């Protein structure tokens, strides 16, 4: 057991590269997962039954099979149909599609939380359905879905370790390869764990900041405090 070796691994370029690859996979997959989830959530609210069936099939397929199965399927099976993707692309597509199935339910619950009366009022004011969704529904739904989305981001960070099965050089694969060369598993995995904890802490801090920034009570307090500050400033100028 060598803590100096742990520190050396943490500061080494290869571990840093693995951590950045893990971060890239996480952020990219989450971004496209949110887009896919938003599309599926809107399809679930569509009037056309066929679209709702397509959304239901998507949810059934990607929530009903393990994400590891989906990664391996896309990487190994699609080339048989002439679709050849890199390991990174296969991993991102699989994680995005899987994440989209869960994001769809989170986004749908947020959209459902906005009362129908507000949508009706927006339409009565001459707004289009898309305008109501963009300017009335989504801003309010964002405050509701932010905590579960933050949890999904942290979960995605840890789930990204599964892409090592298709040889994507993310953090866990780097740690395993390093440990296999000298059998110092404690040091290599400890260094990887430190990186995971640092990234998770950054995500949690970002989530907390966004929740505070979007808190309507804090926004009202800031608006009410501003005139007081201006009055005090004006009084100081007079003196």
């Amino acid at each position: 057991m060598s803590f100096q070796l742990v520190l050396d691994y943490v500061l080494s370029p290869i571990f840093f590269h693995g951590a950045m690859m893990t971060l890239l996979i996480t952020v990219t997959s989450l971004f496209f997962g949110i887009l896919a989830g938003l599309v599926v959530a809107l399809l679930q609210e569509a009037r056309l039954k066929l679209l709702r069936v397509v959304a239901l099939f998507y949810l059934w397929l990607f929530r009903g099979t393990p994400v590891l199965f989906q990664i391996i399927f896309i990487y190994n099976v699609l080339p048989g149909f002439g679709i050849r993707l890199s390991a990174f692309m296969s991993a991102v597509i699989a994680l995005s599609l899987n994440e989209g199935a869960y994001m769809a339910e989170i986004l749908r619950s947020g959209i459902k939380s906005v009362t129908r009366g507000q949508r009706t009022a927006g339409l009565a004011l001459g707004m289009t359905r898309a305008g109501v969704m963009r300017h009335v529904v989504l801003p309010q739904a964002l405050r509701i879905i932010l905590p579960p989305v933050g949890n999904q981001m942290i979960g995605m960070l840890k789930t990204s370790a599964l892409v090592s099965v298709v040889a994507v050089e993310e953090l866990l694969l780097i740690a395993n390869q390093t440990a296999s060369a000298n059998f110092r598993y404690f040091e290599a995995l400890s260094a990887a764990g430190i990186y995971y904890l640092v990234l998770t802490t950054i995500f949690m801090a970002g989530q907390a900041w966004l929740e505070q920034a979007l808190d309507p009570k804090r926004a009202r307090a800031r608006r009410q405090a501003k005139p007081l500050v201006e009055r005090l400033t004006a009084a100081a100028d007079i003196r």
Side-chain angles (χ1 to χ4, degrees):
M1 182 184 300
S2 172
F3 291 103
Q4 180 60 46
L5 185 56
V6 173
L7 181 60
D8 291 342
Y9 282 154
V10 169
L11 299 178
S12 67
I14 188 171
F15 271 76
F16 180 77
H17 175 269
M20 291 302 99
M21 179 61 71
T22 294
L23 181 62
L24 178 62
I25 293 171
T26 300
V27 173
T28 305
S29 300
L30 191 70
F31 174 76
F32 288 108
I34 291 175
L35 291 182
L38 180 59
V39 171
V40 174
L42 295 177
L43 289 180
Q44 288 180 286
E45 300 294 317
R47 295 182 177 181
L48 188 61
K49 184 177 180 180
L50 177 61
L51 297 179
R52 296 198 301 270
V53 171
V54 170
L56 181 61
F57 176 79
Y58 174 88
L59 295 175
W60 169 76
L61 179 63
F62 286 98
R63 294 178 68 183
T65 55
V67 62
L68 182 59
F69 166 84
Q70 296 162 16
I71 294 172
I72 296 174
F73 186 93
I74 290 177
Y75 183 70
N76 290 325
V77 175
L78 291 187
F81 295 92
I83 304 174
R84 299 188 179 278
L85 302 171
S86 66
F88 176 82
M89 285 297 299
S90 299
V92 168
I93 291 173
L95 292 177
S96 299
L97 292 174
N98 181 269
E99 189 67 18
Y102 293 94
M103 281 295 178
E105 294 301 303
I106 294 174
L107 294 172
R108 188 169 70 93
S109 64
I111 292 173
K112 284 284 189 180
S113 67
V114 181
T115 60
R116 187 173 296 275
Q118 296 189 49
R119 306 183 193 190
T120 304
L123 294 173
L125 291 173
M127 299 176 66
T128 63
R129 292 186 179 274
V132 170
M133 182 62 65
R134 178 182 176 184
H135 298 290
V136 178
V137 177
L138 291 181
Q140 297 183 71
L142 181 62
R143 292 196 296 269
I144 297 172
I145 67 175
L146 185 58
V149 168
N151 292 335
Q152 287 295 115
M153 176 176 286
I154 294 173
M156 174 63 73
L157 175 66
K158 293 178 286 188
T159 303
S160 66
L162 295 175
V163 306
S164 60
V165 299
V166 292
V168 177
E169 292 188 345
E170 50 78 53
L171 186 56
L172 185 59
L173 181 63
I174 294 296
N176 274 327
Q177 289 177 341
T178 302
S180 298
N182 56 13
F183 299 100
R184 304 299 293 265
Y185 284 95
F186 173 83
E187 290 83 355
L189 293 177
S190 294
I194 290 172
Y195 270 112
Y196 280 120
L197 290 173
V198 169
L199 292 175
T200 300
T201 302
I202 293 173
F203 287 167
M204 292 174 65
Q207 177 185 347
W209 179 81
L210 283 175
E211 288 180 3
Q212 292 181 0
L214 295 175
D215 187 352
K217 294 181 180 179
R218 289 180 176 269
R220 286 196 297 268
R222 287 195 296 267
R223 288 195 297 268
Q224 293 172 359
K226 185 176 180 181
L228 176 60
V229 173
E230 291 176 350
R231 289 197 299 270
L232 292 175
T233 304
D237 291 340
I238 292 175
R239 293 177 184 176

